[in-house]
Amino acid sequence: MDKKIALELKGITKVFGKITANNNVDLDVYKGEILALLGENGSGKTTLMNMISGIYYPDSGQIFVDGEEVIISSPKDSFKYKIGMIHQHFKLVDVFSAAENIILGINDGKKYSIAETNARVLEITERYGFNIDPKKKIYEMSVSEKQTVEIIKVLYRGADILILDEPTAVLTPQETEKLFAVLRRMRDDGKAIIIITHKMHEVLSLTDRVAVLRKGEHIATVNTKETTVSELTEMMVGKKISLNIERSEPKNSCDRLVVSNLNCVSHEGVKILDNVSFTARSGEILGIAGIAGSGQRELLEAIAGLQHIDSGKILYHNPKNDEVVDLRDKTPLQIRDLGVRLSFVPEDRLGMGLVGDMDITDNMMLRSYRKGHSIFLDRKAPKNLAQEIIKSLEIVTPGTSTPVRRLSGGNIQKVLVGREIAAAPSVLMAAYPVRGLDINSSYTIYNLLTAQKERGVAVIFVGEDLDVLIELCDRILVIGSGKVTGIVDGRNAVKEEIGVLMTKTTSIDEENGGVAI
Amino acid sequence: MNKTEKIKREPLFHIVNRGRDAIPWWKGMLIRAAAIVFALAVCAVIMVILTKENPIEIYKTMFDGAFGTERRKWKLLQEIAVLLCISLAVTPAFKMQFWNIGAEGQALVGGLATAACMFYIGGKVPQGMLIIIMVAASIVAGAIWALIPAVFKAVWNTNETLFTLMMNYIAIQLVDVFVNIWAKNGSAVLSPMSEYGLPIIGDKKYLLNVIIVAALTVGMYIYLKYSKQGYEISVVGQSEKTAKYIGISVKKVIIRTMLVSGAVCGIAGLILVGGTNHNINTNTVGGNGFTAIMVSWLAKFNPIFMILTAFMIVFLDLGASHVTAMFRISSDICDIMIGIILFFIIGCEFFINYKLKFRSFGKGGEAK
């Protein structure tokens, strides 16, 4: 293959205050190759890419495009050098069509012609095998379609170097495969592609070379064919870590939460939850698998009293007095007043679980501040709790009075999970608790969930990585289009079996009239 | 692209968000102080160009206008008290991200209730009783005026900015109606009912007002920072979803907070009518309801800092009007001056939140 360097970085350093995000990083990417940028959270991947795309400016170091040194001080410059970045969070105008979004901001002196744009967009989609209607409005699109629009937007501007920041985080396995096929076609077309990812199997199946960053430093760049998962992991985390999750046998398991025939209809009249029935038992982890957006969030929020329920029952068996109460149509406060110890780690950490601008202490008391009859707050106990959690979960923070927004993703999650566990729950629900977290933080969370299970808590874990679900959970409930399509035993579950269940649209009840185990 | 332009150069400077690396508070204060000095210097130049007067003299006169005599000092304190009181009132609503721009009307209605008490039952009940009724009436009136938009917001999610703004005009018209009913011989001007006003401590006419507002300032600071209700206001303001998640009733908090906001506005009306003017007209609050928004924002919703920001605004205002009178220059020039000073003070916040990184000279050198 013709090996020409498309982009080269030499000695890039970027410092934010006291934190060195990138230290003397060298990196190169050739035309016609896919390079993976691998690293834990906070290893400086995104910062590095942001410097290439003109969002940040390096403190020192040089950038070369096609062998010539360039200065990239704005996204406009980066576009000039044919560099395009596809961010994790899409930057699209909802009420515009795909084509309108694509030409937005292009000023090439030509007359604005939507017909011409549509034609060119179609040409690009055909060339790389995208599947999109240029006239479709963004608000009508799925996440994967929106991502496609972002990619086409970059290609339309003639980008030769594409950077994708964790593109598969929001995609289903099928959509991921489609994306990879497109990326491979682009590679064969001579484009240089950099993909930031956490997922090891993606690195191995897609890329040509892997560059590993650790704590802002470039550790090595290796050929994908000549490396292994354990070697990459070792480079990434600096020490060998066991990929095994400890799973103990459930002890004295009894029914804790019995959900029967739950139905929820959205504002638009769409059935989000369709006759969902299952039982969560004490001392076990019940996994919930499914394609993102199949009703997992609504299910947890329904149990937590945040989602309107149209019919069905949520029966809670109180371990203290053996009373059974129905949580349906209760507010979160009423649920707590009933003595139900329900903890919930929501998917949206800063938007729902925590208040970003408040410090760790104030976030600790979100659940407990009402305690006591005084009209004033007691900050002593939450402060002690904050200190305890910082210590026991090894949260990296300057102190208890740091706003949680300033912490890294993993540390934010530890604050949230730590608080929810500190409430000594009897039911613990966690939605995607390791999303965006590095391996070490992920395992901390897995261990915390397992420890809760051993304490006799009924743990409900919504996850996306099937390997983790199979290793961690005692039982796995599979949800597809709001229906329970199957419940499998975690100890002898097969990945393919779950994958099939995830895409099914008929529930187990509909098939055999049986009751969920 | 032009070949000659293609010289590899870094841009002259970059704007960097301080973010995690916020500067220490004393440095922030230093920047603010520098901004005021710069502002005064720029004003001086402009004044020399426009009026040919000696800027030092103008500043002296300004100072004199605010602090020159005992009477002026009290006037300054009184104006600060009123402005601060209304600023305190809007703050809990703002912290909740409820844009209450109806403080003008809420204070006016509070004042109207006070005036009504003085007019209808003044002299008919013992003075002590009258004062108690006046206090209660003003608080209730202000609270009701704030409650109406709050209920609409909580139940039907109406836009609170438009709603509170329109309530101002209703309040002004109401005052107009009552003044016309009460005024003798259709003069449309109410004569002062000084005998029914709030008590005067010693011979200091404004002292009671100042004491009331000082107590309110401390009370509001404690309420926002240390009370459970204040905590709920912060949570609702920053994330309604989080509030629902932990079981806070957002509707209840909106309504309760606006009741507090309106009640404090009502007290401002009481101070203006019962404690100062002893009569009422449509201009009694005099735009303080809007200026208060700026006072509250500039102080970043901290009641203690609001003392400073309210002082600054009142000082500029009183000083400038004295300058206008003494030098017989157009009041527009003073407005320009106030504008420049506020521009610098608000503008300097940029340098507190961001820093400029200049180009490093010579390769490998680090810009600091």
Side-chain angles (χ1 to χ4, degrees), chain A residues 110-296:
Chain A
K110 279 191 221 140
K111 220 181 114 204
Y112 169 84
S113 158
I114 198 76
E116 205 177 295
T117 312
N118 284 341
R120 264 197 68 194
V121 169
L122 279 177
E123 186 196 326
I124 293 173
T125 56
E126 271 164 34
R127 185 158 165 198
Y128 298 113
F130 290 112
N131 187 8
I132 196 131
D133 173 10
K135 289 179 195 128
K136 197 168 175 183
K137 299 265 195 274
I138 299 299
Y139 64 81
E140 297 171 329
M141 290 187 174
S142 69
V143 178
S144 127
E145 284 176 296
K146 286 181 193 172
Q147 187 180 56
T148 308
V149 175
E150 286 280 8
I151 298 172
I152 296 174
K153 194 160 101 183
V154 166
L155 290 172
Y156 189 93
R157 292 165 179 230
D160 286 332
I161 302 163
L162 280 92
I163 306 162
L164 295 102
D165 190 355
E166 292 190 43
T168 61
V170 289
L171 302 182
T172 63
Q174 288 85 350
E175 288 168 338
T176 304
E177 263 320 305
K178 262 197 218 159
L179 173 70
F180 285 180
V182 168
L183 291 179
R184 288 191 190 105
R185 236 161 284 160
M186 289 201 275
R187 169 184 63 192
D188 298 341
D189 198 39
K191 309 261 185 220
I193 297 167
I194 303 175
I195 173 168
I196 300 178
T197 180
H198 285 302
K199 299 179 188 166
M200 215 55 98
H201 66 272
E202 291 178 357
V203 172
L204 295 176
S205 69
L206 178 71
T207 64
D208 301 302
R209 288 190 307 148
V210 192
V212 184
L213 291 185
R214 184 169 79 221
K215 290 180 178 151
E217 299 198 25
H218 178 227
I219 302 302
T221 301
V222 292
N223 287 325
T224 310
K225 281 195 193 114
E226 295 155 15
T227 188
T228 59
V229 171
S230 59
E231 189 193 11
L232 287 176
T233 312
E234 201 181 322
M235 283 197 279
M236 223 166 98
V237 298
K239 57 177 188 261
K240 244 194 166 99
I241 53 166
S242 148
L243 281 169
N244 295 319
I245 302 169
E246 300 249 337
R247 173 166 51 191
S248 53
E249 283 294 325
K251 272 177 241 146
N252 309 324
S253 215
C254 61
D255 290 0
R256 180 58 45 82
L257 199 65
V258 182
V259 173
S260 49
N261 306 96
L262 204 60
N263 284 294
C264 287
V265 179
S266 75
H267 287 297
E268 291 82 32
V270 183
K271 255 199 165 175
I272 327 165
L273 292 178
D274 191 349
N275 240 357
V276 171
S277 300
F278 68 90
T279 303
R281 297 203 184 109
S282 64
E284 68 160 24
I285 299 182
L286 174 71
I288 297 183
I291 295 165
S294 301
Q296 299 95 319

Side-chain angles (χ1 to χ4, degrees), chain B residues 78 81-82 198 201 205-214 270-272 274-276:
Chain B
Q78 157 70 10
V82 171
L198 294 180
I201 302 173
K205 189 183 170 197
Y206 300 134
L207 185 58
L208 182 66
N209 297 351
V210 174
I211 291 172
I212 292 173
V213 176
L270 172 77
I271 288 174
L272 279 165
T276 316

Side-chain angles (χ1 to χ4, degrees), chain A residues 15 17-19 57 59-60 68-71 73 80 306 332-333 336 344 346 348 350-355 357-358 362-363 365-367 369-377 379 406-407 416 419-420, chain B residues 1 6-11 14 16-17 19-22 222-232 234-235 238-249 355 357 360 363-368:
Chain A
V15 180
K18 293 186 188 90
I19 298 148
Y57 191 81
D59 292 337
S60 65
E68 272 195 69
E69 189 181 354
V70 296
I71 297 291
S73 55
K80 194 170 77 193
L306 297 165
L333 207 56
R336 201 166 335 148
F344 178 24
D348 185 359
L350 284 181
M352 191 173 196
L354 301 166
V355 180
D357 288 335
M358 283 188 177
D362 278 16
N363 270 296
M365 60 183 184
L366 271 173
R367 276 213 189 272
Y369 78 96
R370 285 191 194 86
K371 262 184 213 156
H373 294 293
S374 165
I375 60 160
F376 293 109
L377 295 163
R379 278 199 174 83
R406 296 217 186 133
L407 305 180
L416 176 56
R419 184 190 73 205
E420 291 303 298
Chain B
M1 191 180 157
K6 231 181 164 179
I7 309 162
K8 305 290 179 278
R9 283 186 93 174
E10 283 182 39
H14 297 278
V16 183
N17 193 329
R20 292 176 194 207
D21 194 30
I222 292 171
Y223 177 72
L224 290 175
K225 191 149 186 213
Y226 297 107
S227 81
K228 290 178 181 174
Q229 296 191 358
Y231 180 72
E232 286 178 349
S234 301
V235 175
Q238 298 201 21
S239 168
E240 251 182 57
K241 260 169 113 187
T242 308
K244 285 183 184 146
Y245 159 79
I246 57 165
I248 292 176
S249 163
K355 72 176 164 188
K357 268 194 158 178
S360 54
K363 283 277 169 205
E366 286 244 341
K368 277 284 151 190

